[in-house]
Amino acid sequence: MMRYEQRKHDGSLPIIGVNTFRNSHDEPHRELELARGTEAEKQSQLRRVREFQQRNRDAAHAALARLEAVARTDENIFEVLMEAARVCTLQQITDTFFTVGGQYRRNV
């Protein structure tokens, strides 16, 4: 097991919300009002994402292929990632990384 993972699991590397939690007696729990978009706003956003994907279809395909290729090597991925972010959605980029490295499943 890698050192980071070992320290995270044994608690010697405290990470708030993962292996360390706030004391429930520190301050009272407050209810927060969530801001929710309307159905029209949701549909508008979905339409814009589809239009973005359609407009950048060819460039996105090439950028994702390059991203996948670089992710499989020891090359610096940052520049390729920034290029992909110009023509790809976060979901497309995430799916490409899942293809290369698999999807993380947290042990609970």
Side-chain angles (χ1 to χ4, degrees), residues 29-84:
H29 177 71
R30 315 178 284 169
E31 289 294 322
L32 298 175
E33 182 179 339
L34 299 178
R36 300 214 183 259
T38 65
E39 185 62 25
E41 290 170 327
K42 176 182 171 183
Q43 293 306 319
S44 174
Q45 180 64 25
L46 290 171
R47 178 184 48 78
R48 289 193 313 266
V49 167
R50 284 191 298 271
E51 289 170 355
F52 175 83
Q53 288 175 320
Q54 183 65 29
R55 187 171 57 248
N56 295 296
R57 182 179 53 224
D58 294 336
H61 181 72
L64 292 170
R66 175 77 176 128
L67 182 63
E68 182 175 343
V70 171
R72 294 184 185 280
T73 69
D74 288 335
E75 291 180 58
N76 186 334
I77 200 168
F78 187 77
E79 183 179 352
V80 177
L81 178 60
M82 292 297 100
E83 290 170 9

Side-chain angles (χ1 to χ4, degrees), residues 13-27:
L13 176 65
I15 302 173
I16 304 300
V18 174
N19 63 4
T20 303
F21 302 93
R22 217 173 77 193
N23 185 340
S24 61
H25 302 292
D26 286 348
E27 62 181 64

